[in-house]
Amino acid sequence: MIDFKKSIVQPIQSASLDARGIELFVKRDDLLHPDISGNKWRKLRFNVIQCFKNHNAGILTFGGAYSNHLLATAAACAEVGLKSIGIVRGDELTSESNAILKRCTSYGMELQFVSRELYQLRNDRYYQENLLIQNSNYYVVPEGGANYLGMIGCQELVSQIEQPFDVIVSAQGTSTTSCGLALGLDDSQRLMVVPVLKGYDSIGEMQSLMSRSAMAEDAIDFALSSVLVSDEYHFGGYWKYTWELLEFIRSFHNRYRIKLDPIYTGKAMYALQKEIDSGAMDGKRIVFLHTGGVQGAQSIIEKSGFDLFGG
Ligand SMILES: *Cc1c(COP(=O)(O)O)cnc(C)c1O
């Protein structure tokens, strides 16, 4: 259904990169699908396959009001003929509350709105079992697609990059994508992660997801030894941004015609730019993973009143 060949590896050229001997490429997972945003399909793919193997009716998953993951799940399930249920944080919301929730509904996703307190229990086994009693024969995917199969789907991405590279760069939310990437690297390659949440323990979170996936401790340590954390570019935290970040996204788009979003990819590219400016990347071949997300960020972009992609 989704052709991975659509995700091209696009070279980025500039005199300042040349001067530093840097080769930069953008892996365009944002081109995979308009609603099944970039890495969200990577994380869902093997879960969808598992769902068919189990003969489940559909996928039940969790997300906030503007969740790229909910939208991706709704769209992916619609395309393959599975049902979908989204447990949404916030019982004041309705399926009309915003464009993302409307779009989920139009894909046939059944939205169930729960209080913030109840939503806290989303990873609790007893809570999930209760949900499955009420919604029988559904397959549960955690918030953000953060499970073993999600991770493995992102590992696959690395094998699809034909260009040789030294460093791959990714924004980090649940760290499912970064875990998969780390597992796909060879010994000499490095992963630079840019957490978009304030105070996020990148290595700890990656360790925890890998342990939950029953990986051996020394294999985890080995995978994590290739990770570089660039944790000063969250711009105040999740869904927070500054005018400087918006200005950066606008000028990047003006120059390269690639849209970044102010929640994930804009922060990651900004961080990479700073690392490049510091000299830390001199002589490196770098792949920046464009994880998509411009769709989900539409409301924040509109609210800012900033003409991001007009010029
Ligand atoms: C969800 C998302 C991420 C974060 O991926 P994780 O696997 O949760 O770390 C990064 N970029 C975009 C655009 C996303 O939508």
Side-chain angles (χ1 to χ4, degrees), residues 37 39-40 43 68 144 171-178 261 264-265 291-293:
S37 164
N39 65 340
K40 298 300 182 283
K43 294 194 277 187
N68 289 334
Q172 190 176 48
T174 63
S175 87
T176 316
T177 304
S178 20
D261 76 275
Y264 292 105
T265 53
T291 41

Side-chain angles (χ1 to χ4, degrees), residues 40-293:
K40 298 300 182 283
W41 172 240
R42 302 262 177 201
K43 294 194 277 187
L44 280 170
R45 190 165 105 81
F46 289 115
N47 281 295
V48 165
I49 292 171
Q50 188 61 47
C51 203
F52 277 112
K53 278 190 191 155
N54 298 346
H55 303 288
N56 291 119
I59 290 179
L60 181 150
T61 192
F62 307 85
Y66 296 97
S67 166
N68 289 334
H69 167 67
L70 276 187
L71 178 58
T73 305
C77 285
E79 284 207 25
V80 301
L82 287 169
K83 294 205 232 177
S84 62
I85 294 177
I87 308 294
V88 187
R89 181 180 59 226
D91 52 6
E92 76 286 5
L93 300 166
T94 72
S95 53
E96 297 288 306
S97 291
N98 66 52
I100 294 285
L101 295 176
K102 279 183 202 162
R103 208 148 172 76
C104 286
T105 306
S106 75
Y107 277 118
M109 178 176 260
E110 179 190 334
L111 298 175
Q112 299 180 5
F113 300 92
V114 301
S115 67
R116 283 168 175 72
E117 296 76 58
L118 201 50
Y119 192 80
Q120 292 292 320
L121 296 176
R122 62 194 178 279
N123 293 322
D124 181 87
R125 187 147 173 201
Y126 181 71
Y127 174 61
Q128 289 189 359
E129 278 172 11
N130 256 297
L131 283 170
L132 287 178
I133 289 170
Q134 290 157 39
N135 307 284
S136 66
N137 200 24
Y138 272 80
Y139 173 81
V140 174
V141 173
E143 178 187 63
N147 63 9
Y148 170 73
L149 294 177
M151 191 168 88
I152 295 306
C154 296
Q155 177 179 7
E156 183 182 50
L157 186 159
V158 182
S159 66
Q160 294 171 353
I161 301 173
E162 282 166 14
Q163 270 79 357
F165 65 89
D166 304 302
V167 184
I168 186 163
V169 182
S170 178
Q172 190 176 48
T174 63
S175 87
T176 316
T177 304
S178 20
C179 282
L181 295 178
L183 293 175
L185 299 181
D186 70 30
D187 295 0
S188 67
Q189 294 171 318
R190 295 288 173 268
L191 164 67
M192 172 181 148
V193 295
V194 183
V196 301
L197 288 88
K198 191 177 178 176
Y200 189 80
D201 176 10
S202 289
I203 297 294
E205 293 290 334
M206 291 178 76
Q207 212 156 25
S208 151
L209 178 59
M210 288 180 179
S211 324
R212 273 186 277 134
S213 306
M215 279 180 62
E217 210 165 298
D218 45 351
I220 295 177
D221 289 344
F222 183 72
L224 293 179
S225 67
S226 66
V227 181
L228 315 163
V229 182
S230 192
D231 58 6
E232 286 159 38
Y233 302 100
H234 52 71
F235 289 84
Y238 194 50
W239 281 79
K240 300 253 170 38
Y241 61 88
T242 64
W243 290 96
E244 189 190 0
L245 178 63
L246 298 183
E247 195 53 69
F248 174 78
I249 291 171
R250 173 156 72 183
S251 73
F252 192 86
H253 178 252
N254 275 341
R255 198 150 172 201
Y256 303 111
R257 296 284 132 193
I258 296 176
K259 292 180 180 178
L260 303 171
D261 76 275
I263 300 168
Y264 292 105
T265 53
K267 293 178 181 180
M269 186 60 89
Y270 185 97
L272 175 59
Q273 182 66 56
K274 291 292 173 190
E275 297 290 346
I276 287 173
D277 292 345
S278 79
M281 295 287 168
D282 287 5
K284 301 272 193 247
R285 297 164 299 181
I286 306 168
V287 173
F288 178 89
L289 174 60
H290 194 318
T291 41

